[in-house]
Amino acid sequence: MSRSRAAIILAAGQGTRMKSKTVKVLHKVAGRPMLDWAVALAGECGASDIVTVWGAHSPAVRDAAEALGTRTALQDPPKGTGHAVLAAREALADQTGDAIVLYADTPLITAATVARVFEALEGGASVAVLGFEPADPAAYGRLITNEAGDLDRIVEFKDANEAERAVGLVNSGVLAAPADLLFDLLGDVGNDNANGEYYLTDVVGLARARGLRAAVVVADADEVLGVNSRNDLAEAEAAFQSRMRKSMMADGVTLVAPETVFFAHDTRIARDVVIEPHVVFGPGVVIEEDAVIHAHSHIEGAHLHRGAHAGPYARLRPGAVLGAGSKVGNFVEIKKSQLAEGAKVSHLTYIGDASVGANANIGAGTITCNYDGYDKHRTVIGDNAFIGSNTCLVAPVTVGAGAFTATGAVITEDVPADALALARTPQTHKPGWAARFHAAKRARKARKDSQT
């Protein structure tokens, strides 16, 4: 990269078709707000200076962009994409390199594609535009090329004639140029068009009028899918999931039923992991080699080490760490807890705010009672401990290495290593009580029936 790079992220749209109190660009794809996707892309493509353009109706966008480390510029009132880019001119007054315009509602463009746009500038173009060829060009602006294959002009659909509307190559909106040239061209853009707006796309025609070359780079249609509605959001999610599933399998992950598995933007899974049907990954999941995720499990913010098993019907919440060869079984929930190597939590159990030692066995129905209504407290279970079924461990509490707790125990005090903890009322019998109970109930029912 011989020249510095800047990115201008347009995020000032109203997003009315989302019909949501949440600003459009803060809606999530693969567990990540669309604005975050755009900012991350700008960084991945080498932009050292990033400016997010926001609208007066959405201060939440300004706050989110600044939290992500970008500078911000206000577009008020909104007068089109060209006007939006001009809002960033003051922030980039000292930029001597290239600038690219990205969109906060187009989350799936890859850094490799953006690199091709910059390569077009390095190859001699003064302006480079990212286009695509959708199955239905619909109302997209058309990219009109000349005999040499260079871009001649961009025509908005509303302003296009019949021949121009027949063109299948359309505009994604992404455009790059030297920053000083971009703002200079935008200064000449007018608003004599069907919408009375200042179009960013007009810079292509203005550059050509100066004898400058404009290039077009073609991307896959799924990659430049813009989101304007809930339906578009679902399509973007589907496109991401399809891409991620193919990538996972290409890298050596087994997906038994790929179409039923859903990933987050940052899911990391090593080769030779097996994922059974109907598994959902939230953000922050790392799974090491030879692990198995059984069907109908939900995993978020968790780390599974080599050979760990989870599910079926397991829920691993943030902070869950499963050691090598450990097992979490059906209807088990783990939250902010660490299972050491070989530990087993097989059935119907909640483990929260706990440390479980190596090769410990947690019986069915066990609960770590970690919350007193005000604060969370920690449970520590030592190596090789055995927790009997239906044990309640009232935190803070420690069960020593090799210790046992009896079935049905309520443990409120620390258990020494290698001890047996018994904490339940001794069983007693009342002879004849059941017979007397049934007789009394039957008599009562008979009297009630005779009165109706």
Side-chain angles (χ1 to χ4, degrees), residues 1 4-9 37-50 98-103 106-123 127-131 172-177 215-220 223-224 243:
M1 188 173 68
S4 64
R5 293 176 180 175
I8 303 165
I9 299 174
W37 279 100
V39 172
L41 176 62
E44 290 168 9
C45 72
S48 57
D49 202 351
I50 304 172
D98 298 324
I100 189 166
V101 179
L102 301 173
Y103 294 80
T106 308
L108 301 184
I109 299 175
T110 66
T113 293
V114 171
R116 291 167 53 216
V117 176
F118 281 115
E119 286 169 5
L121 296 183
E122 293 166 3
V127 177
V129 171
L130 186 64
S172 73
V174 174
L175 180 148
V216 59
V217 174
V218 181
D220 291 337
E223 192 173 335
V224 294
R243 178 195 299 178

Side-chain angles (χ1 to χ4, degrees), residues 15 43 63 98 109 116 148 181 187 190 222-224 255 279-280 295 297 319 363 373 393 425 429:
D63 296 344
D98 298 324
I109 299 175
R116 291 167 53 216
L181 174 63
D222 284 347
E223 192 173 335
V224 294
L255 303 181
V279 173
V280 176
S297 294
L393 300 165
T425 303
H429 300 152

